[in-house]
PDB file of all heavy atoms in Angstrom:
ATOM      1  N   ARG L  31       7.987   6.915 -12.751  1.00 89.00           N
ATOM      2  CA  ARG L  31       7.785   5.750 -13.493  1.00 89.00           C
ATOM      3  C   ARG L  31       6.224   5.434 -13.563  1.00 89.00           C
ATOM      4  O   ARG L  31       5.757   4.919 -14.552  1.00 89.00           O
ATOM      5  CB  ARG L  31       8.466   4.586 -12.884  1.00 89.00           C
ATOM      6  CG  ARG L  31       8.187   3.210 -13.578  1.00 89.00           C
ATOM      7  CD  ARG L  31       9.089   2.134 -13.087  1.00 89.00           C
ATOM      8  NE  ARG L  31      10.413   2.276 -13.664  1.00 89.00           N
ATOM      9  CZ  ARG L  31      10.757   1.904 -14.933  1.00 89.00           C
ATOM     10  NH1 ARG L  31       9.881   1.277 -15.763  1.00 89.00           N
ATOM     11  NH2 ARG L  31      11.981   2.012 -15.351  1.00 89.00           N
ATOM     12  N   TYR L  36      -4.998   3.577  -4.890  1.00 98.00           N
ATOM     13  CA  TYR L  36      -5.612   2.354  -4.294  1.00 98.00           C
ATOM     14  C   TYR L  36      -6.760   2.796  -3.429  1.00 98.00           C
ATOM     15  O   TYR L  36      -6.893   3.922  -2.909  1.00 98.00           O
ATOM     16  CB  TYR L  36      -4.578   1.671  -3.179  1.00 98.00           C
ATOM     17  CG  TYR L  36      -3.416   0.999  -3.900  1.00 98.00           C
ATOM     18  CD1 TYR L  36      -2.306   1.638  -4.429  1.00 98.00           C
ATOM     19  CD2 TYR L  36      -3.533  -0.440  -4.116  1.00 98.00           C
ATOM     20  CE1 TYR L  36      -1.304   0.962  -5.018  1.00 98.00           C
ATOM     21  CE2 TYR L  36      -2.446  -1.028  -4.756  1.00 98.00           C
ATOM     22  CZ  TYR L  36      -1.379  -0.428  -5.169  1.00 98.00           C
ATOM     23  OH  TYR L  36      -0.255  -1.087  -5.766  1.00 98.00           O
ATOM     24  N   GLN L  38      -8.750   1.627   0.211  1.00 97.00           N
ATOM     25  CA  GLN L  38      -8.628   0.769   1.348  1.00 97.00           C
ATOM     26  C   GLN L  38      -9.821   0.968   2.229  1.00 97.00           C
ATOM     27  O   GLN L  38     -10.216   1.952   2.700  1.00 97.00           O
ATOM     28  CB  GLN L  38      -7.351   1.157   2.097  1.00 97.00           C
ATOM     29  CG  GLN L  38      -7.038   0.187   3.268  1.00 97.00           C
ATOM     30  CD  GLN L  38      -5.767   0.429   3.928  1.00 97.00           C
ATOM     31  OE1 GLN L  38      -5.327   1.597   3.961  1.00 97.00           O
ATOM     32  NE2 GLN L  38      -5.167  -0.486   4.592  1.00 97.00           N
ATOM     33  N   LYS L  42      -8.693  -3.668   6.255  1.00 96.00           N
ATOM     34  CA  LYS L  42      -8.384  -4.502   5.130  1.00 96.00           C
ATOM     35  C   LYS L  42      -7.116  -3.932   4.289  1.00 96.00           C
ATOM     36  O   LYS L  42      -6.736  -2.821   4.528  1.00 96.00           O
ATOM     37  CB  LYS L  42      -9.570  -4.595   4.150  1.00 96.00           C
ATOM     38  CG  LYS L  42     -10.715  -5.232   4.743  1.00 96.00           C
ATOM     39  CD  LYS L  42     -11.855  -5.597   3.837  1.00 96.00           C
ATOM     40  CE  LYS L  42     -12.985  -6.253   4.470  1.00 96.00           C
ATOM     41  NZ  LYS L  42     -14.092  -6.592   3.512  1.00 96.00           N
ATOM     42  N   GLY L  43      -6.520  -4.709   3.363  1.00 97.00           N
ATOM     43  CA  GLY L  43      -5.447  -4.378   2.566  1.00 97.00           C
ATOM     44  C   GLY L  43      -5.896  -3.465   1.477  1.00 97.00           C
ATOM     45  O   GLY L  43      -7.103  -3.516   1.049  1.00 97.00           O
ATOM     46  N   PRO L  44      -5.080  -2.617   0.949  1.00 97.00           N
ATOM     47  CA  PRO L  44      -5.436  -1.724  -0.231  1.00 97.00           C
ATOM     48  C   PRO L  44      -5.808  -2.561  -1.450  1.00 97.00           C
ATOM     49  O   PRO L  44      -5.224  -3.563  -1.684  1.00 97.00           O
ATOM     50  CB  PRO L  44      -4.132  -0.958  -0.442  1.00 97.00           C
ATOM     51  CG  PRO L  44      -3.452  -1.019   0.889  1.00 97.00           C
ATOM     52  CD  PRO L  44      -3.699  -2.327   1.435  1.00 97.00           C
ATOM     53  N   PHE L  46      -6.089  -2.283  -5.581  1.00 95.00           N
ATOM     54  CA  PHE L  46      -5.591  -1.583  -6.742  1.00 95.00           C
ATOM     55  C   PHE L  46      -6.651  -0.976  -7.478  1.00 95.00           C
ATOM     56  O   PHE L  46      -7.666  -1.623  -7.892  1.00 95.00           O
ATOM     57  CB  PHE L  46      -4.645  -2.443  -7.497  1.00 95.00           C
ATOM     58  CG  PHE L  46      -4.205  -1.739  -8.879  1.00 95.00           C
ATOM     59  CD1 PHE L  46      -3.366  -0.765  -8.849  1.00 95.00           C
ATOM     60  CD2 PHE L  46      -4.814  -2.224 -10.038  1.00 95.00           C
ATOM     61  CE1 PHE L  46      -2.995  -0.183 -10.107  1.00 95.00           C
ATOM     62  CE2 PHE L  46      -4.453  -1.555 -11.186  1.00 95.00           C
ATOM     63  CZ  PHE L  46      -3.516  -0.591 -11.248  1.00 95.00           C
ATOM     64  N   THR L  49      -3.226   2.810 -12.546  1.00 95.00           N
ATOM     65  CA  THR L  49      -1.816   3.276 -12.688  1.00 95.00           C
ATOM     66  C   THR L  49      -1.893   4.220 -13.806  1.00 95.00           C
ATOM     67  O   THR L  49      -2.437   4.154 -14.920  1.00 95.00           O
ATOM     68  CB  THR L  49      -0.854   2.111 -13.083  1.00 95.00           C
ATOM     69  OG1 THR L  49      -1.045   1.002 -12.280  1.00 95.00           O
ATOM     70  CG2 THR L  49       0.493   2.513 -13.140  1.00 95.00           C
ATOM     71  N   TYR L  51       0.913   6.814 -16.038  1.00 93.00           N
ATOM     72  CA  TYR L  51       2.344   6.798 -16.323  1.00 93.00           C
ATOM     73  C   TYR L  51       2.809   8.159 -16.873  1.00 93.00           C
ATOM     74  O   TYR L  51       4.056   8.469 -16.718  1.00 93.00           O
ATOM     75  CB  TYR L  51       2.634   5.798 -17.390  1.00 93.00           C
ATOM     76  CG  TYR L  51       2.501   4.280 -16.911  1.00 93.00           C
ATOM     77  CD1 TYR L  51       1.386   3.573 -17.341  1.00 93.00           C
ATOM     78  CD2 TYR L  51       3.362   3.796 -16.036  1.00 93.00           C
ATOM     79  CE1 TYR L  51       1.205   2.280 -16.884  1.00 93.00           C
ATOM     80  CE2 TYR L  51       3.143   2.449 -15.544  1.00 93.00           C
ATOM     81  CZ  TYR L  51       2.092   1.724 -16.007  1.00 93.00           C
ATOM     82  OH  TYR L  51       1.985   0.493 -15.576  1.00 93.00           O
ATOM     83  N   GLN L  91       6.135   5.872  -7.950  1.00 91.00           N
ATOM     84  CA  GLN L  91       7.279   5.018  -8.132  1.00 91.00           C
ATOM     85  C   GLN L  91       8.349   5.772  -9.084  1.00 91.00           C
ATOM     86  O   GLN L  91       7.901   6.159 -10.152  1.00 91.00           O
ATOM     87  CB  GLN L  91       6.949   3.643  -8.751  1.00 91.00           C
ATOM     88  CG  GLN L  91       8.170   2.680  -8.842  1.00 91.00           C
ATOM     89  CD  GLN L  91       7.769   1.400  -9.406  1.00 91.00           C
ATOM     90  OE1 GLN L  91       6.812   1.248 -10.224  1.00 91.00           O
ATOM     91  NE2 GLN L  91       8.387   0.289  -8.974  1.00 91.00           N
ATOM     92  N   ASP L  95      13.483   2.252  -9.358  1.00 81.00           N
ATOM     93  CA  ASP L  95      13.133   2.045  -7.947  1.00 81.00           C
ATOM     94  C   ASP L  95      12.123   1.019  -7.791  1.00 81.00           C
ATOM     95  O   ASP L  95      11.116   1.013  -8.365  1.00 81.00           O
ATOM     96  CB  ASP L  95      12.742   3.324  -7.317  1.00 81.00           C
ATOM     97  CG  ASP L  95      12.751   3.441  -5.786  1.00 81.00           C
ATOM     98  OD1 ASP L  95      13.042   2.330  -5.224  1.00 81.00           O
ATOM     99  OD2 ASP L  95      12.615   4.402  -5.160  1.00 81.00           O
ATOM    100  N   TYR L  96      12.344   0.090  -6.852  1.00 81.00           N
ATOM    101  CA  TYR L  96      11.400  -1.003  -6.651  1.00 81.00           C
ATOM    102  C   TYR L  96      10.297  -0.677  -5.680  1.00 81.00           C
ATOM    103  O   TYR L  96       9.314  -1.308  -5.665  1.00 81.00           O
ATOM    104  CB  TYR L  96      12.107  -2.222  -6.168  1.00 81.00           C
ATOM    105  CG  TYR L  96      13.059  -2.780  -7.150  1.00 81.00           C
ATOM    106  CD1 TYR L  96      14.429  -2.631  -7.126  1.00 81.00           C
ATOM    107  CD2 TYR L  96      12.568  -3.696  -8.172  1.00 81.00           C
ATOM    108  CE1 TYR L  96      15.284  -3.107  -8.100  1.00 81.00           C
ATOM    109  CE2 TYR L  96      13.364  -4.198  -9.128  1.00 81.00           C
ATOM    110  CZ  TYR L  96      14.737  -3.982  -9.002  1.00 81.00           C
ATOM    111  OH  TYR L  96      15.591  -4.457 -10.041  1.00 81.00           O
ATOM    112  N   LYS L  97      10.435   0.391  -4.892  1.00 84.00           N
ATOM    113  CA  LYS L  97       9.517   0.639  -3.860  1.00 84.00           C
ATOM    114  C   LYS L  97       8.454   1.729  -4.307  1.00 84.00           C
ATOM    115  O   LYS L  97       8.751   2.465  -5.256  1.00 84.00           O
ATOM    116  CB  LYS L  97      10.154   1.158  -2.594  1.00 84.00           C
ATOM    117  CG  LYS L  97      10.679   2.568  -2.695  1.00 84.00           C
ATOM    118  CD  LYS L  97      11.137   3.075  -1.366  1.00 84.00           C
ATOM    119  CE  LYS L  97      11.468   4.523  -1.323  1.00 84.00           C
ATOM    120  NZ  LYS L  97      11.850   5.024  -0.042  1.00 84.00           N
ATOM    121  N   LEU L  98       7.351   1.736  -3.647  1.00 90.00           N
ATOM    122  CA  LEU L  98       6.389   2.761  -3.820  1.00 90.00           C
ATOM    123  C   LEU L  98       6.428   3.754  -2.563  1.00 90.00           C
ATOM    124  O   LEU L  98       6.599   3.262  -1.489  1.00 90.00           O
ATOM    125  CB  LEU L  98       4.928   2.170  -3.860  1.00 90.00           C
ATOM    126  CG  LEU L  98       4.618   1.212  -5.009  1.00 90.00           C
ATOM    127  CD1 LEU L  98       3.190   0.790  -5.012  1.00 90.00           C
ATOM    128  CD2 LEU L  98       5.046   1.845  -6.439  1.00 90.00           C
ATOM    129  N   PHE L 100       4.083   6.209  -0.487  1.00 94.00           N
ATOM    130  CA  PHE L 100       2.719   6.383  -0.298  1.00 94.00           C
ATOM    131  C   PHE L 100       2.410   7.744   0.386  1.00 94.00           C
ATOM    132  O   PHE L 100       3.142   8.182   1.268  1.00 94.00           O
ATOM    133  CB  PHE L 100       2.126   5.274   0.531  1.00 94.00           C
ATOM    134  CG  PHE L 100       1.760   4.005  -0.249  1.00 94.00           C
ATOM    135  CD1 PHE L 100       2.838   3.054  -0.459  1.00 94.00           C
ATOM    136  CD2 PHE L 100       0.574   3.730  -0.682  1.00 94.00           C
ATOM    137  CE1 PHE L 100       2.552   1.945  -1.081  1.00 94.00           C
ATOM    138  CE2 PHE L 100       0.322   2.546  -1.355  1.00 94.00           C
ATOM    139  CZ  PHE L 100       1.270   1.634  -1.593  1.00 94.00           C
ATOM    140  N   GLY L 101       1.225   8.371   0.049  1.00 95.00           N
ATOM    141  CA  GLY L 101       0.610   9.453   0.780  1.00 95.00           C
ATOM    142  C   GLY L 101      -0.104   8.859   2.001  1.00 95.00           C
ATOM    143  O   GLY L 101      -0.317   7.640   2.021  1.00 95.00           O
ATOM    144  N   ALA L 102      -0.548   9.699   2.858  1.00 95.00           N
ATOM    145  CA  ALA L 102      -1.278   9.287   4.064  1.00 95.00           C
ATOM    146  C   ALA L 102      -2.797   8.959   3.819  1.00 95.00           C
ATOM    147  O   ALA L 102      -3.437   8.390   4.610  1.00 95.00           O
ATOM    148  CB  ALA L 102      -1.213  10.341   5.184  1.00 95.00           C
TER     149      ALA L 102
ATOM    150  N   TYR H  33       6.858  -7.724  -0.860  1.00 96.00           N
ATOM    151  CA  TYR H  33       7.160  -6.512   0.016  1.00 96.00           C
ATOM    152  C   TYR H  33       6.478  -6.676   1.332  1.00 96.00           C
ATOM    153  O   TYR H  33       5.312  -7.172   1.443  1.00 96.00           O
ATOM    154  CB  TYR H  33       6.680  -5.314  -0.639  1.00 96.00           C
ATOM    155  CG  TYR H  33       7.120  -5.049  -2.146  1.00 96.00           C
ATOM    156  CD1 TYR H  33       6.568  -5.754  -3.114  1.00 96.00           C
ATOM    157  CD2 TYR H  33       8.153  -4.102  -2.343  1.00 96.00           C
ATOM    158  CE1 TYR H  33       7.041  -5.522  -4.477  1.00 96.00           C
ATOM    159  CE2 TYR H  33       8.568  -3.959  -3.638  1.00 96.00           C
ATOM    160  CZ  TYR H  33       8.012  -4.737  -4.698  1.00 96.00           C
ATOM    161  OH  TYR H  33       8.559  -4.394  -5.988  1.00 96.00           O
ATOM    162  N   GLN H  37       1.710   0.089   8.510  1.00 97.00           N
ATOM    163  CA  GLN H  37       0.828   1.253   8.338  1.00 97.00           C
ATOM    164  C   GLN H  37       0.387   1.664   9.772  1.00 97.00           C
ATOM    165  O   GLN H  37      -0.066   0.833  10.530  1.00 97.00           O
ATOM    166  CB  GLN H  37      -0.489   0.802   7.539  1.00 97.00           C
ATOM    167  CG  GLN H  37      -1.494   1.974   7.316  1.00 97.00           C
ATOM    168  CD  GLN H  37      -2.544   1.588   6.348  1.00 97.00           C
ATOM    169  OE1 GLN H  37      -3.053   0.442   6.391  1.00 97.00           O
ATOM    170  NE2 GLN H  37      -3.048   2.456   5.472  1.00 97.00           N
ATOM    171  N   GLY H  40      -2.794   7.880  10.311  1.00 82.00           N
ATOM    172  CA  GLY H  40      -2.439   9.179   9.816  1.00 82.00           C
ATOM    173  C   GLY H  40      -1.189   9.211   9.031  1.00 82.00           C
ATOM    174  O   GLY H  40      -0.649  10.237   8.662  1.00 82.00           O
ATOM    175  N   GLY H  42       1.418   7.362   5.786  1.00 87.00           N
ATOM    176  CA  GLY H  42       1.361   6.554   4.620  1.00 87.00           C
ATOM    177  C   GLY H  42       2.065   5.199   4.914  1.00 87.00           C
ATOM    178  O   GLY H  42       2.718   5.096   5.932  1.00 87.00           O
ATOM    179  N   LEU H  45       7.850   1.187   3.869  1.00 95.00           N
ATOM    180  CA  LEU H  45       8.387  -0.117   3.460  1.00 95.00           C
ATOM    181  C   LEU H  45       9.416  -0.578   4.477  1.00 95.00           C
ATOM    182  O   LEU H  45      10.303   0.105   4.841  1.00 95.00           O
ATOM    183  CB  LEU H  45       9.142   0.142   2.152  1.00 95.00           C
ATOM    184  CG  LEU H  45       9.785  -1.116   1.493  1.00 95.00           C
ATOM    185  CD1 LEU H  45       8.684  -2.116   1.015  1.00 95.00           C
ATOM    186  CD2 LEU H  45      10.550  -0.659   0.240  1.00 95.00           C
ATOM    187  N   GLN H  50      13.245  -9.221  -4.492  1.00 92.00           N
ATOM    188  CA  GLN H  50      13.003  -9.264  -5.832  1.00 92.00           C
ATOM    189  C   GLN H  50      13.193 -10.676  -6.476  1.00 92.00           C
ATOM    190  O   GLN H  50      12.610 -11.086  -7.555  1.00 92.00           O
ATOM    191  CB  GLN H  50      13.919  -8.471  -6.720  1.00 92.00           C
ATOM    192  CG  GLN H  50      13.806  -6.999  -6.309  1.00 92.00           C
ATOM    193  CD  GLN H  50      12.474  -6.511  -6.515  1.00 92.00           C
ATOM    194  OE1 GLN H  50      11.933  -6.532  -7.592  1.00 92.00           O
ATOM    195  NE2 GLN H  50      11.935  -5.810  -5.471  1.00 92.00           N
ATOM    196  N   ASP H  59      12.822   1.379   4.201  1.00 92.00           N
ATOM    197  CA  ASP H  59      13.024   2.609   4.926  1.00 92.00           C
ATOM    198  C   ASP H  59      13.131   2.414   6.442  1.00 92.00           C
ATOM    199  O   ASP H  59      13.720   3.295   7.188  1.00 92.00           O
ATOM    200  CB  ASP H  59      11.958   3.649   4.577  1.00 92.00           C
ATOM    201  CG  ASP H  59      12.075   3.987   3.080  1.00 92.00           C
ATOM    202  OD1 ASP H  59      13.132   4.136   2.544  1.00 92.00           O
ATOM    203  OD2 ASP H  59      10.964   4.142   2.513  1.00 92.00           O
ATOM    204  N   PHE H  88      -0.461  -2.025  11.848  1.00 97.00           N
ATOM    205  CA  PHE H  88      -1.009  -2.868  10.740  1.00 97.00           C
ATOM    206  C   PHE H  88       0.031  -3.278   9.788  1.00 97.00           C
ATOM    207  O   PHE H  88       0.595  -2.323   9.191  1.00 97.00           O
ATOM    208  CB  PHE H  88      -2.263  -2.171  10.214  1.00 97.00           C
ATOM    209  CG  PHE H  88      -3.119  -2.985   9.323  1.00 97.00           C
ATOM    210  CD1 PHE H  88      -3.606  -4.205   9.816  1.00 97.00           C
ATOM    211  CD2 PHE H  88      -3.568  -2.513   8.152  1.00 97.00           C
ATOM    212  CE1 PHE H  88      -4.474  -5.025   9.003  1.00 97.00           C
ATOM    213  CE2 PHE H  88      -4.380  -3.181   7.309  1.00 97.00           C
ATOM    214  CZ  PHE H  88      -4.812  -4.440   7.750  1.00 97.00           C
ATOM    215  N   LEU H  90       1.245  -5.071   6.204  1.00 98.00           N
ATOM    216  CA  LEU H  90       0.779  -5.380   4.910  1.00 98.00           C
ATOM    217  C   LEU H  90       1.813  -6.076   4.070  1.00 98.00           C
ATOM    218  O   LEU H  90       2.884  -5.472   4.019  1.00 98.00           O
ATOM    219  CB  LEU H  90       0.113  -4.152   4.262  1.00 98.00           C
ATOM    220  CG  LEU H  90      -1.226  -3.615   4.795  1.00 98.00           C
ATOM    221  CD1 LEU H  90      -1.395  -2.189   4.379  1.00 98.00           C
ATOM    222  CD2 LEU H  90      -2.333  -4.540   4.363  1.00 98.00           C
ATOM    223  N   GLY H  97       9.677  -6.163 -10.135  1.00 60.00           N
ATOM    224  CA  GLY H  97       9.747  -4.975  -9.276  1.00 60.00           C
ATOM    225  C   GLY H  97       9.474  -3.634  -9.943  1.00 60.00           C
ATOM    226  O   GLY H  97       9.163  -2.737  -9.269  1.00 60.00           O
ATOM    227  N   LEU H  98       9.571  -3.594 -11.257  1.00 63.00           N
ATOM    228  CA  LEU H  98       9.432  -2.389 -11.989  1.00 63.00           C
ATOM    229  C   LEU H  98       8.176  -2.341 -12.782  1.00 63.00           C
ATOM    230  O   LEU H  98       7.858  -3.313 -13.458  1.00 63.00           O
ATOM    231  CB  LEU H  98      10.683  -2.007 -12.800  1.00 63.00           C
ATOM    232  CG  LEU H  98      11.939  -1.911 -11.970  1.00 63.00           C
ATOM    233  CD1 LEU H  98      13.110  -1.752 -12.952  1.00 63.00           C
ATOM    234  CD2 LEU H  98      11.863  -0.705 -11.025  1.00 63.00           C
ATOM    235  N   ASN H  99       7.486  -1.244 -12.832  1.00 61.00           N
ATOM    236  CA  ASN H  99       6.447  -0.954 -13.858  1.00 61.00           C
ATOM    237  C   ASN H  99       5.213  -1.889 -13.689  1.00 61.00           C
ATOM    238  O   ASN H  99       4.580  -2.145 -14.697  1.00 61.00           O
ATOM    239  CB  ASN H  99       7.041  -1.150 -15.300  1.00 61.00           C
ATOM    240  CG  ASN H  99       6.461  -0.043 -16.136  1.00 61.00           C
ATOM    241  OD1 ASN H  99       6.051   1.025 -15.780  1.00 61.00           O
ATOM    242  ND2 ASN H  99       6.367  -0.415 -17.458  1.00 61.00           N
ATOM    243  N   GLU H 101       1.807  -2.901 -10.962  1.00 87.00           N
ATOM    244  CA  GLU H 101       1.144  -2.517  -9.685  1.00 87.00           C
ATOM    245  C   GLU H 101       1.395  -3.518  -8.657  1.00 87.00           C
ATOM    246  O   GLU H 101       1.539  -4.760  -9.009  1.00 87.00           O
ATOM    247  CB  GLU H 101      -0.299  -2.301  -9.956  1.00 87.00           C
ATOM    248  CG  GLU H 101      -0.980  -3.454 -10.705  1.00 87.00           C
ATOM    249  CD  GLU H 101      -0.991  -3.411 -12.230  1.00 87.00           C
ATOM    250  OE1 GLU H 101      -0.177  -2.480 -12.723  1.00 87.00           O
ATOM    251  OE2 GLU H 101      -1.677  -4.145 -12.907  1.00 87.00           O
ATOM    252  N   GLN H 102       1.431  -3.167  -7.413  1.00 91.00           N
ATOM    253  CA  GLN H 102       1.583  -4.114  -6.293  1.00 91.00           C
ATOM    254  C   GLN H 102       0.210  -4.492  -5.853  1.00 91.00           C
ATOM    255  O   GLN H 102      -0.684  -3.692  -5.721  1.00 91.00           O
ATOM    256  CB  GLN H 102       2.367  -3.447  -5.151  1.00 91.00           C
ATOM    257  CG  GLN H 102       3.838  -3.186  -5.603  1.00 91.00           C
ATOM    258  CD  GLN H 102       4.612  -2.519  -4.354  1.00 91.00           C
ATOM    259  OE1 GLN H 102       4.108  -2.574  -3.257  1.00 91.00           O
ATOM    260  NE2 GLN H 102       5.822  -2.038  -4.713  1.00 91.00           N
ATOM    261  N   PHE H 104      -1.995  -6.387  -2.640  1.00 96.00           N
ATOM    262  CA  PHE H 104      -1.802  -6.450  -1.182  1.00 96.00           C
ATOM    263  C   PHE H 104      -2.586  -7.611  -0.700  1.00 96.00           C
ATOM    264  O   PHE H 104      -3.668  -7.979  -1.175  1.00 96.00           O
ATOM    265  CB  PHE H 104      -2.267  -5.123  -0.530  1.00 96.00           C
ATOM    266  CG  PHE H 104      -1.270  -4.046  -0.644  1.00 96.00           C
ATOM    267  CD1 PHE H 104      -1.187  -3.258  -1.919  1.00 96.00           C
ATOM    268  CD2 PHE H 104      -0.304  -3.847   0.266  1.00 96.00           C
ATOM    269  CE1 PHE H 104      -0.292  -2.245  -1.968  1.00 96.00           C
ATOM    270  CE2 PHE H 104       0.681  -2.691   0.194  1.00 96.00           C
ATOM    271  CZ  PHE H 104       0.707  -1.962  -1.002  1.00 96.00           C
ATOM    272  N   GLY H 105      -2.050  -8.118   0.515  1.00 97.00           N
ATOM    273  CA  GLY H 105      -2.778  -9.086   1.314  1.00 97.00           C
ATOM    274  C   GLY H 105      -3.697  -8.296   2.237  1.00 97.00           C
ATOM    275  O   GLY H 105      -3.768  -7.084   2.260  1.00 97.00           O
ATOM    276  N   PRO H 106      -4.530  -9.129   3.017  1.00 97.00           N
ATOM    277  CA  PRO H 106      -5.485  -8.580   3.920  1.00 97.00           C
ATOM    278  C   PRO H 106      -4.945  -7.843   5.221  1.00 97.00           C
ATOM    279  O   PRO H 106      -5.693  -7.174   5.903  1.00 97.00           O
ATOM    280  CB  PRO H 106      -6.410  -9.721   4.279  1.00 97.00           C
ATOM    281  CG  PRO H 106      -5.550 -10.887   4.124  1.00 97.00           C
ATOM    282  CD  PRO H 106      -4.563 -10.573   3.070  1.00 97.00           C
TER     283      PRO H 106
END
Side-chain angles (χ1 to χ4, degrees):
Chain L
R31 175 168 287 279
Y36 289 86
Q38 186 176 26
K42 297 189 176 181
F46 170 74
T49 308
Y51 294 106
Q91 186 178 33
D95 194 352
Y96 293 100
K97 75 171 190 178
L98 300 184
F100 280 84
Chain H
Y33 306 78
Q37 187 174 34
L45 183 66
Q50 299 303 306
D59 299 321
F88 191 47
L90 289 159
L98 297 175
N99 218 28
E101 52 271 12
Q102 293 182 13
F104 285 83

